[in-house]
Amino acid sequence: MPDVLDASPYDALLLLSFGGPEGPDDVVPFLENVTRGRGIPKERLEEVGRHYFLFGGVSPINDQNRALLDALRKDFAEHGLDLPVYWGNRNWAPYLTDTLREMVRDGRRRILVLATSAYASYSGCRQYRENLADALATLKDEGLELPRVDKLRHYFNHPGFVEPMIDGVLESLADLPEDVRDGAHIAFTTHSIPTAAADTSGPVEGHGDGGAYVRQHLDVAELIAGAVRERTGVDHPWQLVYQSRSGAPHIPWLEPDICDHLEERHAAGAPAVVMAPIGFVSDHMEVLYDLDTEAKAKAEELGLPVRRSATVGADPRFAAAIRELITERAATERGESVTRCALGTLGASHDLCPVGCCPARAPRPAAAGADSPYA
C-alpha cells in the first residue's frame, strides 16, 4: 500500500478550464458565452466558429480534460492522496458555478484550484480568479456556506510540465527526414495576447516589456532547447512566436505570428521547422486549427517540412506534478517547510497573486489572491 499523503487542510481539487462545444448546435452559444458583453453580432460568431465546424462542431478540450481527470485520480490513488477531484468550466458545461455548488453541497470547505493555464496573464490567471469570485457571489446570494478557494501556483517551469515537452520536441525532430533534421529550427508557440496585457502580466514590480508572460515562456523555451542540445549534440536555432490572435487589428498584439514566422524561416533558408506549442496544456482547438491546419497549410505552400510536437495533455508526469504541487501547497498552509520544485532561472511562482498582478482593464473582484473579497 502507498504511504498516505496529507492534503489537509484541503478537502477537494477543482480542475478549472475554458470549456468547448461538443456538437454543431453548441458552437454559437459557446462563442456567445466567450464573448459576452462585447456586442459581437451572431453573424460574426458564426464566421469565427467555422474552424469548429471543420471538426464536426466539437472541441477536443472537454475530452482532454476528462483524460486529465482520469490521470489525476489514478495518480492520487496510486500514491495515497485521498483528495476528490471535480471539474468546472468557464464557458461550457460543466459550468464552474454548478460545480462549486455541487462541491459545497458535498461538504467541501477548503478547495484547491488547478487552472489549465500554466503561465501568468490576465486571461490565463486573473480572469479565472474573477470567474471564481463571480461563482462564489452567486452561491452567497443563494444562501450557501462559502468554501475557501485557493489556486495552485503557476507550473510552467515544473519538471513534470517541461519534461514531456522536451520529449515531444525530440520525437518531432527524429520524425523529420535525416537530411533536414540537424538544421531544423524550433518555433516555440503560445497564444498571442495584447502587448498591453503582456506588459502588465505578473506582479507589479515585474511589469515592463512582455511582463511575466513573455519571460516565463522564454525561460521554458531555453530549458527545452538546452535539453535538446544536450541529448542530440545539435544546437537548433529557436524563437518564441505566437498564434491564435483574435483582437481588433488596431490593437498591438504579441508577434510574430507563426505563419509569418514560417515564411521568414523559409526565406532565410531554414530546411525544416518544429512547432512546439509550449503555451498550451493540451491539443485543443487552437492547436488543431491554428497549427495543424493553418500553419501546416502555409508550410506545405512553401514546401517547408514541418512537424508539430505534442502538448503535455494527460501525461503521467504532469499528473504527478499536480500531486506534488498539491502536497507542497498543503504543507505550506500547515506552516511546514517545503522544497518548491522549479527548473530554469525564474524560480517557483508565488502561491498568492499579489495586488496589481495581471490587472484587468476594469477592476473586478477576483478570488484566490491577496485582493480577494473571499479570504
Side-chain angles (χ1 to χ4, degrees):
M1 293 290 291
D3 294 332
V4 176
L5 297 177
D6 188 1
S8 65
Y10 297 106
D11 55 19
L13 176 71
L14 168 61
L15 176 66
L16 177 55
S17 193
F18 193 80
E22 300 201 81
D25 293 341
D26 296 345
V27 173
V28 171
F30 162 74
L31 292 173
E32 288 174 337
N33 287 342
V34 174
T35 61
R36 193 174 307 282
R38 302 183 200 173
I40 299 176
K42 186 174 181 179
E43 295 76 16
R44 173 60 180 156
L45 295 180
E46 290 173 345
E47 179 184 347
V48 171
R50 71 189 186 281
H51 53 283
Y52 286 99
F53 293 116
L54 290 175
F55 298 88
V58 179
S59 168
I61 192 169
N62 281 348
D63 276 346
Q64 288 163 3
N65 281 326
R66 293 181 183 105
L68 179 55
L69 288 167
D70 288 343
L72 291 171
R73 289 166 179 152
K74 181 175 185 289
D75 179 89
F76 293 0
E78 290 176 348
H79 291 87
L81 181 61
D82 183 15
L83 194 70
V85 185
Y86 295 75
W87 169 36
N89 290 324
R90 281 169 48 178
N91 300 298
W92 203 248
Y95 288 103
L96 168 60
T97 302
D98 295 335
T99 301
L100 269 181
R101 185 183 297 111
E102 176 189 359
M103 297 177 80
V104 168
R105 289 174 174 167
D106 286 349
R108 311 304 175 192
R109 295 295 177 262
R110 289 293 302 271
I111 298 170
L112 263 178
V113 176
L114 164 64
T116 54
S117 177
Y119 301 85
S121 70
Y122 170 73
S123 58
C125 183
R126 184 176 177 88
Q127 192 170 12
Y128 282 106
R129 293 176 48 225
E130 292 175 352
N131 298 143
L132 284 165
D134 290 343
L136 290 168
T138 298
L139 300 189
K140 183 178 180 181
D141 289 343
E142 294 172 358
L144 296 175
E145 181 180 352
L146 297 188
R148 174 170 165 179
V149 177
D150 293 329
K151 181 177 174 291
L152 286 173
R153 66 177 172 91
H154 301 301
Y155 46 83
F156 65 93
N157 56 1
H158 194 286
F161 186 69
V162 175
E163 289 167 1
M165 293 191 292
I166 293 170
D167 288 348
V169 172
L170 290 169
E171 290 167 8
S172 292
L173 287 167
D175 192 50
L176 283 168
E178 189 173 355
D179 59 333
V180 300
R181 185 180 304 148
D182 286 354
H185 288 229
I186 305 173
F188 294 105
T189 77
T190 190
H191 205 300
S192 184
I193 61 175
T195 56
D199 293 345
T200 56
S201 58
V204 172
E205 62 271 16
H207 288 178
D209 290 347
Y213 186 74
V214 172
R215 284 193 295 277
Q216 289 171 359
H217 281 86
L218 287 173
D219 206 44
V220 171
E222 288 272 12
L223 284 167
I224 296 173
V228 169
R229 181 172 57 251
E230 290 173 6
R231 299 182 197 184
T232 66
V234 179
D235 191 6
H236 291 272
W238 64 269
Q239 186 172 340
L240 178 64
V241 302
Y242 302 92
Q243 62 174 90
S244 311
R245 173 181 172 144
S246 58
H250 68 280
I251 297 176
W253 283 53
L254 293 173
E255 296 178 336
D257 175 77
I258 178 61
C259 289
D260 294 338
H261 179 70
L262 292 176
E263 289 185 338
E264 292 167 0
R265 291 301 88 214
H266 178 258
V273 173
V274 168
M275 301 181 293
I278 62 173
F280 304 90
V281 171
S282 65
D283 288 5
H284 55 62
M285 185 58 69
E286 287 170 316
V287 175
L288 293 186
Y289 184 77
D290 296 332
L291 294 184
D292 292 354
T293 305
E294 283 195 331
K296 285 188 176 179
K298 171 59 69 175
E300 186 174 349
E301 172 191 320
L302 297 169
L304 178 67
V306 296
R307 297 293 186 272
R308 197 269 291 173
S309 65
T311 52
V312 172
D315 190 288
R317 290 169 290 183
F318 182 45
I322 301 308
R323 168 174 39 84
E324 292 171 6
L325 289 171
I326 291 167
T327 55
E328 168 200 295
R329 181 62 180 273
T332 300
E333 290 294 309
R334 295 193 302 268
E336 299 172 11
S337 177
V338 295
T339 300
R340 297 164 61 81
C341 192
L343 301 175
T345 63
L346 299 180
S349 294
H350 48 260
D351 281 335
L352 197 67
C353 291
V355 175
C357 191
C358 303
R361 294 177 189 166
R364 286 180 57 192
D371 54 356
S372 172
Y374 302 104

